[in-house]
Amino acid sequence: MSEPSVLEVEGLVKHFPIHGGLLQRRTGEVKAVDGVSFSIGRGETLGLVGESGCGKSTIGKTVLKLIEPTAGRIVLAGEDISSLKPGAMWPHRRRIQTIFQDPYSSMNPRLPSGTIVGEPLENFGLSSGRDTDERVARLFERVGLRPDAMRKYAHEFSGGQRQRLGIAKALSVNPDVIVADEPVSALDVSVQAQVLNLLIDLQEEFRLAYLFISHDLAVMRHISHRIAVMYLGRIVELTTKRTLFTQPLHPYTEALLSAATAPDPKRRQQRKRIVQGDVPSPANPPPGCHFHTRCPYAMPECKVTAPPLIEVAEGHHVACLRRPVGGDPGPLSVPG
Amino acid sequence: MSVTSGNILEVRGLQTQFNTLDGVVRAVDGVSFDLARGETLGIVGESGCGKSVTALSILRLIPPETGRIAGGSIKFEGEELTTLGEEAMKGLRGHRISMIFQEPMTSLNPVLTVGTQIAENVVRHMGVSWRAARERSFEMLDLVRIADARRRLDEYPHQLSGGMRQRVMIALALSCDPQVLIADEPTTALDVTIQAQILDLMLELKEKTGTAIVLITHDLGVIAETTERVVVMYAGRKVEEAPVEALFAEPLHPYTRGLMRAIPRLDIEADAAGMRPRLQEIPGLVPRLTQPIPGCAFAPRCGFATERCRAEPPPLVDAGGGHTVACWEVDRVRASAL
Ligand SMILES: Nc1ncnc2c1ncn2[C@@H]1O[C@H](COP(=O)(O)OP(=O)(O)OP(=O)(O)O)[C@@H](O)[C@H]1O
Ligand SMILES: Nc1ncnc2c1ncn2[C@@H]1O[C@H](COP(=O)(O)OP(=O)(O)O)[C@@H](O)[C@H]1O
Ligand code: SF4
Ligand code: SF4
Ligand SMILES: [Mg+2]
Ligand SMILES: [Mg+2]
């Protein structure tokens, strides 16, 4: 990326306290996000993929400043917003918007959909009255809804149409960055295709940066330019999608790719290497490399030393003790 | 009665309906299929197309307050299930026909230990002693590869991870050696690496026990990698059926084709060029099931539709090689590019 990033995150940490016992004393903490760094350029999609509980949504909420980071820097369009208090954050909020998996839960069921979509415009003082109505009508058209649907209530829309409402609302204030947290996970494939196409069109038209969160590798591969793979609060691999899918270097990425199903019955002959065991609890992650309990290539040192995320080849970042800078990108050997 | 046929289950013209405030929902509207002994049959379609209601109908678990099997026949080992008494049905469920659901917590009892739940099922159906049943519970947990199975017998469902709960469900479902296992979205709530473990386990156990499986899912990837034959459903009807290779090599129903084109593909060339090819959308929405659909249910969204499609429901026709499809325009569809 030659131009400066529109969102930069450095050493982001978010710990949640765990309370237990009769007195609800603090008994520990969940390291939901444990030192994560990445950046996103204008017009770029960075995909964030990983299994349930690995910290994807927590990253999303932290960069949106819906929750306060424990440590680390968040730089939005050149401004450090990491420690801005809500009042000081307000002018920056317009720049970073969000789309959820279930937009319905965040919509007031008693307001017409047009009012819901127009809310941010009015809240940020960007327009009012008739002007808002006209802008909202144009937004409805842009996301593929009929403007006369502005009078309808959220429950009168289908899942895909509600997602369009959510997109229109996020788009209304002309943001730089959109955090999309599983935006198509609840949709059927035929409708999912409609929404993904719309997101790509809008990104190209408005040069939006997307932080796109998903657990679906095929969706991820479709929409992303670069992908970060997470495991238990840390990024374990970050590179372009092509490299990730053709030359994954981290053993966890390899496990994810080989576990994913594909709509091709011929693929099942090439029997997969399935990683065994469960994902450990983020409240009590294994020491050293978090993946060592499931990694077929683990060495004794992996139980002790946490591998940092390093750039092992140009633009290819990996956190594995067996993947040194400039190392052989071939398959790892199973010890013993 | 065709007890001699190789089919363990034969469903014919099944119709299941619900009374709702909006009218009668025709959730399953004339569905037929066979399940051969030891076979893995997939049922695929988008949400609301009637997959779960088909499964619940076979097990006669449709809530009687609002729903009913309004027509058709379900034969298990030649025996008609739609008219079988509830006591006899109870003897079949969990014994000769078992089911696993998407969310194991809905079918596991939260206040009983895992070991007790499996043992109860074994005592009820096999009439063995508690001690023997408990030993069977241990064997089953071990079979589904739950580590430290002896200790886990005394744990409650909430103490287990999602993947382990699904393993317990499988152990419970297989504990009395069923002839048919119906699995409704068994891995939809699981992470990909855990999904791969569970699918693998189901197939491995099928090889061992010879249980026939009906695998219900909305995920064409799961269908492609685990089933032998596939039924595609749309709006309560079967629109296509084929051996899995044939279905993916040449889908014949416009809806099946639409589904396959709508999934993001892994495409190295496009990746290299930095392109993101447009996905093919299926325009429009699924029809409401409260209004009678006179012709083909897919007609409002179908690029091949004609007047006849809107007026008369297309019959299932044999397309050769065990492939059947319900489409008036199948010749035109076949001639068009995939
Ligand atoms: N408010 C909170 N208080 C305490 N723990 C939390 C809180 N929010 C998240 N966590 C914990 O932080 C970890 C990461 O959660 P997060 O929601 O970011 O996961 P995720 O990657 O988005 O998972 P999913 O794919 O299931 O959405 C989990 O262990 C979760 O239980
Ligand atoms: N208990 C019920 N009462 C009313 N309608 C129902 C009930 N169960 C299912 N339906 C309806 O039947 C149709 C098929 O549902 P279902 O079989 O659950 O779909 P799926 O294919 O997603 O499993 C849907 O329209 C659904 O809303
Ligand atoms: S550091 Fe060790 S345990 Fe971790 S991924 Fe690499 S080889 Fe596996
Ligand atoms: S019968 Fe007609 S409307 Fe239905 S799928 Fe075939 S061509 Fe399309
Ligand atoms: Mg999440
Ligand atoms: Mg269902």
Side-chain angles (χ1 to χ4, degrees):
Chain A
M1 274 316 107
S2 48
E3 63 178 311
S5 314
V6 62
L7 178 68
E8 262 176 77
V9 169
E10 245 181 68
L12 187 68
V13 174
K14 179 68 198 180
H15 293 176
F16 293 107
I18 306 173
H19 299 278
L22 270 182
L23 300 174
Q24 288 297 305
R25 286 221 180 83
R26 187 179 172 129
T27 53
E29 52 191 10
V30 180
K31 295 180 173 153
V33 178
D34 198 15
V36 157
S37 306
F38 59 84
S39 63
I40 314 179
R42 284 191 197 279
E44 186 189 32
T45 304
L46 177 73
L48 212 50
V49 69
E51 295 182 281
S52 186
C54 70
K56 306 180 296 293
S57 298
T58 304
I59 292 183
K61 287 181 201 152
T62 317
V63 299
L64 284 158
K65 291 297 293 284
L66 297 175
I67 53 179
E68 290 303 310
T70 306
R73 252 159 54 92
I74 304 163
V75 181
L76 177 63
E79 295 269 351
D80 187 339
I81 59 164
S82 338
S83 47
L84 293 184
K85 294 284 163 274
M89 183 59 204
W90 180 249
H92 301 282
R93 280 221 185 281
R94 182 192 66 74
R95 293 180 173 277
I96 184 159
Q97 294 291 312
T98 181
I99 308 172
F100 306 104
Q101 171 166 356
D102 175 16
Y104 188 60
S105 61
S106 64
M107 288 176 186
N108 185 335
R110 279 181 288 277
L111 292 180
S113 59
T115 310
I116 292 174
V117 170
E119 253 172 2
L121 279 170
E122 306 241 330
N123 287 348
F124 286 102
L126 297 175
S127 70
S128 61
R130 286 207 65 78
D131 183 26
T132 304
D133 289 346
E134 271 165 34
R135 288 211 203 187
V136 171
R138 264 179 281 142
L139 283 163
F140 266 57
E141 277 180 344
R142 185 62 200 84
V143 300
L145 295 169
R146 287 209 310 278
D148 58 19
M150 285 165 63
R151 284 190 301 271
K152 295 213 276 184
Y153 296 87
H155 71 87
E156 298 176 77
F157 292 89
S158 71
Q161 289 170 332
R162 282 181 204 153
Q163 204 47 284
R164 290 176 195 269
L165 286 178
I167 293 169
K169 183 175 176 186
L171 208 60
S172 64
V173 293
N174 199 11
D176 296 318
V177 182
I178 291 184
V179 176
D181 193 346
E182 306 270 8
V184 298
S185 304
L187 304 178
D188 278 320
V189 276
S190 71
V191 179
Q192 170 181 299
Q194 299 170 3
V195 172
L196 288 175
N197 283 339
L198 175 64
L199 286 172
I200 289 178
D201 291 345
L202 294 173
Q203 175 168 58
E204 287 169 2
E205 187 173 333
F206 301 108
R207 304 197 65 230
L208 295 165
Y210 289 157
L211 178 60
F212 195 97
I213 297 172
S214 178
H215 65 280
D216 183 329
L217 280 162
V219 165
M220 203 47 127
R221 176 159 188 176
H222 186 74
I223 197 159
S224 303
H225 297 100
R226 287 183 304 140
I227 297 177
V229 180
M230 287 190 70
Y231 192 74
L232 286 178
R234 298 175 182 164
I235 292 178
V236 297
E237 185 155 10
L238 195 171
T239 183
T240 63
K241 73 167 157 191
R242 174 170 214 264
T243 310
L244 193 88
F245 281 94
T246 54
Q247 196 169 80
L249 290 180
H250 197 281
Y252 177 63
T253 311
E254 183 189 293
L256 266 189
L257 297 185
S258 101
T261 58
D264 178 6
K266 288 186 227 78
R267 222 180 85 122
R268 76 170 105 173
Q269 264 77 37
Q270 335 157 1
R271 207 44 209 153
K272 308 175 172 186
R273 166 167 237 153
I274 294 173
V275 64
Q276 296 303 324
D278 260 338
V279 184
S281 156
N284 188 17
C289 173
H290 287 345
F291 191 53
H292 84 249
T293 52
R294 304 171 81 197
C295 180
Y297 312 112
M299 314 171 298
E301 204 200 328
C302 302
K303 295 183 184 161
V304 190
T305 311
L309 186 70
I310 52 173
E311 188 165 6
V312 299
E314 197 187 340
H316 196 162
H317 305 259
V318 184
C320 170
L321 295 176
R322 299 192 60 184
R323 294 295 190 186
V325 178
D328 173 6
L332 294 172
S333 59
V334 179
Chain B
M1 270 204 279
S2 58
V3 195
T4 45
S5 80
N7 295 329
I8 184 125
L9 191 67
E10 295 182 346
V11 177
R12 288 291 171 278
L14 179 66
Q15 290 187 311
T16 305
Q17 305 179 347
F18 295 95
N19 295 318
T20 68
L21 292 177
D22 299 331
V24 175
V25 174
R26 293 158 203 275
V28 177
D29 195 16
V31 165
S32 305
F33 60 86
D34 294 333
L35 179 69
R37 284 173 206 283
E39 174 184 45
T40 309
L41 175 75
I43 301 184
V44 69
E46 294 180 279
S47 66
C49 73
K51 304 180 296 296
S52 298
V53 173
T54 301
L56 294 173
S57 302
I58 294 171
L59 285 148
R60 293 263 309 278
L61 290 174
I62 299 292
E65 308 79 47
T66 55
R68 67 199 172 100
I69 296 179
S73 129
I74 301 168
K75 286 206 167 114
F76 170 71
E77 300 253 55
E79 185 171 22
E80 180 60 49
L81 296 189
T82 53
T83 51
L84 196 64
E86 180 54 26
E87 277 313 304
M89 232 13 254
K90 275 192 182 141
L92 285 184
R93 268 185 230 125
H95 180 196
R96 297 168 67 201
I97 310 180
S98 276
M99 182 152 179
I100 51 185
F101 300 92
Q102 171 169 347
E103 185 30 77
M105 281 315 255
T106 57
S107 34
L108 291 176
N109 186 336
V111 301
L112 291 182
T113 65
V114 162
T116 304
Q117 295 188 53
I118 300 177
E120 264 193 349
N121 194 50
V122 175
V123 168
R124 181 180 325 132
H125 293 297
M126 317 280 256
V128 298
S129 70
W130 265 100
R131 179 187 287 271
R134 203 164 153 85
E135 200 45 37
R136 177 76 179 160
S137 310
F138 164 71
E139 282 168 25
M140 291 312 296
L141 289 191
D142 199 48
L143 184 69
V144 298
R145 289 202 296 269
I146 288 191
D148 208 358
R150 193 66 72 186
R151 183 171 59 82
R152 298 282 182 191
L153 284 175
D154 297 320
E155 292 196 341
Y156 293 89
H158 71 88
Q159 293 174 281
L160 307 174
S161 70
M164 273 200 279
R165 273 182 219 144
Q166 205 53 289
R167 282 171 198 268
V168 169
M169 268 308 296
I170 296 175
L172 179 62
L174 295 182
S175 59
C176 299
D177 289 326
Q179 280 98 324
V180 175
L181 174 67
I182 300 177
D184 188 1
E185 308 268 5
T187 58
T188 304
L190 303 176
D191 281 320
V192 277
T193 59
I194 310 300
Q195 161 167 294
Q197 293 171 7
I198 297 291
L199 292 176
D200 222 40
L201 176 69
M202 283 178 50
L203 294 185
E204 186 194 311
L205 294 179
K206 193 203 92 158
E207 290 304 311
K208 265 193 207 149
T209 60
T211 304
I213 298 179
V214 180
L215 183 74
I216 296 176
T217 173
H218 68 284
D219 185 334
L220 283 166
V222 170
I223 287 283
E225 295 196 14
T226 53
T227 66
E228 293 160 79
R229 211 153 45 82
V230 188
V231 166
V232 183
M233 285 183 67
Y234 185 76
R237 301 173 181 178
K238 176 169 94 171
V239 297
E240 185 163 8
E241 178 181 331
V244 68
E245 297 81 13
L247 188 81
F248 284 86
E250 196 190 19
L252 288 178
H253 196 279
Y255 172 65
T256 317
R257 289 190 164 207
L259 272 188
M260 293 204 185
R261 277 193 296 233
I263 345 174
R265 292 280 169 157
L266 305 181
D267 182 349
I268 310 269
E269 278 77 60
D271 286 357
M275 291 185 323
R276 292 178 292 181
R278 281 187 82 76
L279 297 168
Q280 292 279 319
E281 304 172 5
I282 301 180
L285 298 172
V286 293
R288 276 180 209 239
L289 302 177
T290 41
Q291 256 101 53
I293 302 169
C296 171
F298 192 56
R301 307 174 77 185
C302 179
F304 294 94
T306 65
E307 272 316 305
R308 178 164 68 169
C309 300
R310 282 178 277 271
E312 290 173 61
L316 278 164
V317 294
D318 188 346
H323 201 148
T324 53
V325 58
C327 174
W328 287 120
E329 301 296 323
V330 64
D331 295 329
R332 263 168 68 216
V333 176
R334 197 168 226 170
S336 73
L338 254 189

